[in-house]
Amino acid sequence: MSIKRKVLLLFLAVALFPAVSIFLLYQFKQDPFKETAHFALESVRINKRAQVEQYMKSLGDTVRTLAESGVHPEAFLAFKNGYDQIERTAVKKEMNYLKSRDRLHEWYKSKFLPLLSLSSKPSLHPDALLQMSPSAIHLQDHYLAKNPNEIWTFDSYLGPQDRGLYHLAHRKYHSLLKTWLGRFGLVDLFLLDKQGRILYSSAKKIDFARMVFSSVLKGSGLSRLFKKYRNASFQAPVLIEDFQPYLPNLAEPLCFLGSAIVVEQQNVGLFAVAITAERLNEIMSGGSRWDLEGLGHSGESYLVGPDFLLRSSSRIRTEQKESLKSLLSIEPSRGRQVGHVKQHRVETEAIRSALNGISGTRVVPGHQGHDVLNSFTPLKIQGLHWALVTEMKLVEAYLDSRDFWIYLSLISVFFLILIMALHQFFSLRLLIPISQLSLAAEKLGAESVHAPIPILAHDEIGNLQNTYNFMAKNLLETQDHLSKEVRTSTDASKNLQKSKALLNQVLESIPLSIYWKDLDSRYLGANKQFASNMGLEDPSKLLGKKNEELPIPEHESFTLQELESQMEGLDANVTNTTLRL
């Protein structure tokens, strides 16, 4: 495997290690992030619960305070005396009664019922709405049919300039009583006597002056509240009746709260107020600022009653500018009101658990058809059985966790790309020069050809390239010099061989026995004539031997000894001559 591949694999291993580590961490360590999401949602739920319970408690305390204040008992008695006076005289004035009834009939037909048809589909007839006492018709004629203001501002009318006790009381107390509506976020304020007569209402709707158990109001939230009042003890706490559609309020759901009016230690009537879900919607949505409440783009908090109908608007309907009345409608039938879901019912396992008194946080199918992280709890409000739910789409609830892992993954990808870029850089700066050195060395070894390597960097690699260039150049020069020396030696060897051949030819041509020895009397050479005389076929067999080592024939032995004796006198001169040479 080449160095380039090894380095590439090393870089890939370094890059993939954090990526693999992140993947394993994501698979086995998600719980802390989920716990954080659960805790955040539970914090929102706890905060919303505290706000709702505090709001309802504060509202109850306000109702009790207003009922016990000196103004309201005084106003109650004034309105009661005026109502009693009208009841005594209304029947006697039959002609006026018929005119009042006709005017009221026309008002219901042309004013009220068209408005009611915009919010519901009633099957009401004006005659059904006129089923009330002559005193009630008399008062509604003056404060509804003859009211100079638009229907939405009826409460601005102080009453006719009549000397009757009721109208005097209305001009005296109405402005004061009406101020409580805006100050405490109320829709209407009522004074009822123990018989169930609505002696006074601030908003002046079609419930004004009626009996609370009349056909129009029978089964309504106000009639149920009055029933609780009649069945309660003298020291009963503030009474409350859950939201349900209220026909006089154009079928918009209202919640009623009430407290007894006490005069001289006597329970004489009921002080009641009505509220819409507007303030609850504001609490649940944080003023339509869900993101600032920690609910992101899909989260919401809402209230659910024991009938699994919403008591506050869901986020999607608030964003679509639909009020709570779009979820509920009224279906008058035989004078009774029935609240029902209009293509919407919020019933989940989490809500059932909350209504059963259980709090928790879990992943459940949402009421809008997608999985949600749902945090639920029951509410502790005297007289109400509500559940509070805070939820968020699961994909968004765990978004911080997913974002964290995506962020880490992107970092891993970034480092992988960076490492690949570094690999390319080092390939150019390190591996390519090494590859050039390797190829140049192979070419130098195979072809004895050297092309100088270009030096691109002044570092260790550059020094190595420079050293290689110098070494290759010296190697080729040495190779050239040796080649020349070899050629010279070869020529000398050939000349020597020729000289030896010529000398041998001369020695063999002379008809004499010739030999030569070293200083130790060992044969260095001889011609064939001498070898033959010595009894040898090849002169080479004499080489390195002395006379004693040769099988010299007897007739030659004496001759050889005599010759060498003659030569002994010349040994010194030969030696000297040899040394001189």
Side-chain angles (χ1 to χ4, degrees):
M1 185 181 294
S2 65
I3 294 178
K4 183 177 181 179
R5 289 188 177 181
K6 290 179 180 178
V7 173
L8 176 60
L9 291 177
L10 177 61
F11 275 95
L12 286 175
V14 173
L16 290 176
F17 177 76
V20 173
S21 300
I22 289 172
F23 173 78
L24 295 176
L25 191 62
Y26 177 73
Q27 293 296 320
F28 299 105
K29 295 294 183 181
Q30 297 186 63
D31 288 344
F33 295 96
K34 291 183 179 180
E35 290 175 2
T36 300
H38 288 209
F39 177 78
L41 202 64
E42 288 171 358
S43 298
V44 175
R45 182 202 74 194
I46 292 170
N47 181 49
K48 297 298 182 185
R49 173 178 174 173
Q51 290 184 61
V52 172
E53 291 178 346
Q54 178 59 35
Y55 166 67
M56 297 304 294
K57 181 180 184 301
S58 175
L59 193 59
D61 293 341
T62 299
V63 169
R64 176 181 286 275
T65 300
L66 292 177
E68 293 176 351
S69 68
V71 175
H72 297 94
E74 179 183 325
F76 172 83
L77 293 176
F79 282 118
K80 184 177 184 304
N81 292 333
Y83 198 103
D84 290 340
Q85 183 188 55
I86 292 172
E87 202 165 58
R88 289 192 298 268
T89 60
V91 179
K92 297 178 181 179
K93 300 178 181 180
E94 183 176 355
M95 185 63 67
N96 291 339
Y97 166 74
L98 293 177
K99 289 181 180 180
S100 295
R101 193 177 189 281
D102 290 342
R103 266 194 306 270
L104 200 56
H105 183 280
E106 181 60 26
W107 181 85
Y108 275 116
K109 181 180 179 180
S110 61
K111 300 292 185 180
F112 178 74
L113 290 178
L115 285 176
L116 182 63
S117 66
L118 297 177
S119 57
S120 63
K121 296 180 180 180
S123 57
L124 288 175
H125 189 274
D127 291 340
L129 298 174
L130 292 173
Q131 295 178 10
M132 51 185 163
S133 67
S135 54
I137 290 178
H138 173 83
L139 287 171
Q140 284 202 5
D141 177 41
H142 280 85
Y143 289 91
L144 301 185
K146 291 182 178 181
N147 195 315
N149 300 319
E150 292 295 329
I151 193 170
W152 302 112
T153 58
F154 274 4
D155 59 349
S156 299
Y157 182 49
L158 293 179
Q161 297 298 319
D162 191 291
R163 300 299 298 175
L165 295 179
Y166 189 91
H167 305 309
L168 291 173
H170 194 275
R171 288 196 297 271
K172 179 179 180 180
Y173 294 106
H174 177 66
S175 296
L176 176 62
L177 296 177
K178 191 181 68 169
T179 59
W180 305 131
L181 301 184
R183 184 177 298 182
F184 299 107
L186 308 175
V187 175
D188 207 348
L189 183 151
F190 305 91
L191 298 176
L192 295 85
D193 64 10
K194 298 189 71 172
Q195 300 176 44
R197 296 180 302 179
I198 302 176
L199 304 177
Y200 168 83
S201 73
S202 294
K204 298 300 183 293
K205 297 176 180 172
I206 67 168
D207 50 7
F208 171 60
R210 292 180 184 271
M211 290 292 292
V212 76
F213 295 120
S214 64
S215 60
V216 173
L217 299 180
K218 190 175 182 180
S220 67
L222 185 58
S223 67
R224 292 183 179 182
L225 181 74
F226 186 78
K227 186 176 181 179
K228 290 181 178 179
Y229 158 72
R230 292 178 64 172
N231 296 331
S233 63
F234 180 73
Q235 297 296 332
V238 174
L239 306 171
I240 187 167
E241 182 60 33
D242 202 350
F243 282 99
Q244 71 174 91
Y246 189 61
L247 180 61
N249 199 50
L250 300 179
E252 181 179 354
L254 293 180
C255 175
F256 292 90
L257 296 90
S259 182
I261 299 174
V262 178
V263 177
E264 296 180 355
Q265 302 297 317
Q266 294 294 319
N267 184 346
V268 295
L270 176 66
F271 174 86
V273 299
I275 62 170
T276 65
E278 182 179 356
R279 176 55 184 153
L280 292 173
N281 290 337
E282 185 178 348
I283 293 174
M284 290 294 100
S285 67
S288 297
R289 294 174 297 184
W290 292 274
D291 52 342
L292 298 180
E293 295 282 307
L295 294 172
H297 298 291
S298 66
E300 62 176 334
S301 294
Y302 54 89
L303 302 171
V304 184
D307 52 3
F308 298 102
L309 299 182
L310 292 179
R311 296 305 189 261
S312 64
S313 289
S314 65
R315 177 171 184 170
I316 187 171
R317 282 162 178 76
T318 301
E319 291 176 335
Q320 293 173 349
K321 298 183 178 179
E322 293 183 9
S323 66
L324 187 60
K325 65 182 179 183
S326 67
L327 303 179
L328 302 173
S329 66
I330 188 166
E331 183 181 287
S333 176
R334 296 187 299 275
R336 300 192 63 177
Q337 294 171 312
V338 180
H340 64 279
V341 179
K342 182 185 287 185
Q343 298 180 339
H344 190 84
R345 183 175 178 82
V346 185
E347 183 175 1
T348 65
E349 184 61 35
I351 293 175
R352 285 193 291 270
S353 297
L355 291 174
N356 289 328
I358 300 173
S359 298
T361 301
R362 65 182 69 156
V363 177
V364 299
H367 68 276
Q368 296 179 13
H370 45 69
D371 286 346
V372 298
L373 181 61
N374 185 295
S375 187
F376 52 89
T377 186
L379 291 178
K380 295 181 179 179
I381 301 174
Q382 184 69 33
L384 294 177
H385 185 202
W386 288 356
L388 187 150
V389 177
T390 299
E391 65 184 22
M392 183 183 293
K393 286 183 179 179
L394 192 61
V395 293
E396 184 179 7
Y398 292 161
L399 186 60
D400 289 340
S401 169
R402 292 175 64 247
D403 281 348
F404 177 77
W405 297 116
I406 291 173
Y407 175 72
L408 289 182
S409 300
L410 290 176
I411 291 178
S412 299
V413 173
F414 170 76
F415 276 107
L416 179 62
I417 295 173
L418 177 63
I419 288 175
M420 295 302 296
L422 290 175
H423 169 261
Q424 288 298 108
F425 174 78
F426 281 109
S427 295
L428 293 174
R429 298 298 300 271
L430 178 63
L431 298 179
I432 291 179
I434 291 177
S435 298
Q436 291 176 339
L437 284 172
S438 177
L439 292 175
E442 290 178 2
K443 190 172 183 180
L444 179 64
E447 303 176 9
S448 297
V449 177
H450 169 59
I453 299 174
I455 300 173
L456 303 177
H458 300 285
D459 53 13
E460 289 81 357
I461 298 297
N463 292 337
L464 179 61
Q465 290 176 319
N466 188 38
T467 301
Y468 170 80
N469 288 336
F470 178 78
M471 179 188 70
K473 180 180 179 181
N474 288 342
L475 181 62
L476 290 178
E477 291 177 352
T478 302
Q479 185 178 3
D480 290 340
H481 178 73
L482 289 176
S483 296
K484 291 178 181 179
E485 291 292 332
V486 169
R487 286 195 297 271
T488 302
S489 177
T490 301
D491 293 341
S493 178
K494 288 180 179 179
N495 292 333
L496 180 61
Q497 292 295 331
K498 289 180 180 180
S499 299
K500 288 177 67 177
L502 180 59
L503 179 60
N504 287 334
Q505 186 177 4
V506 171
L507 292 175
E508 296 297 334
S509 300
I510 297 175
L512 297 174
S513 296
I514 299 173
Y515 70 92
W516 56 97
K517 293 183 177 182
D518 61 12
L519 296 178
D520 293 328
S521 296
R522 293 182 180 277
Y523 287 96
L524 295 176
N527 62 0
K528 289 183 178 181
Q529 180 65 39
F530 180 78
S532 177
N533 293 337
M534 297 298 290
L536 299 174
E537 295 180 359
D538 188 358
S540 62
K541 294 182 178 181
L542 294 170
L543 299 179
K545 295 181 180 181
K546 292 182 178 183
N547 291 336
E548 294 81 5
E549 298 175 2
L550 296 174
I552 301 174
E554 293 182 3
H555 65 276
E556 291 290 340
S557 175
F558 175 78
T559 303
L560 184 61
Q561 290 176 0
E562 183 180 359
L563 179 61
E564 289 183 353
S565 297
Q566 295 175 2
M567 292 293 294
E568 286 179 358
L570 300 175
D571 284 345
N573 295 330
V574 173
T575 301
N576 293 335
T577 302
T578 302
L579 291 174
R580 283 196 297 269
L581 293 174

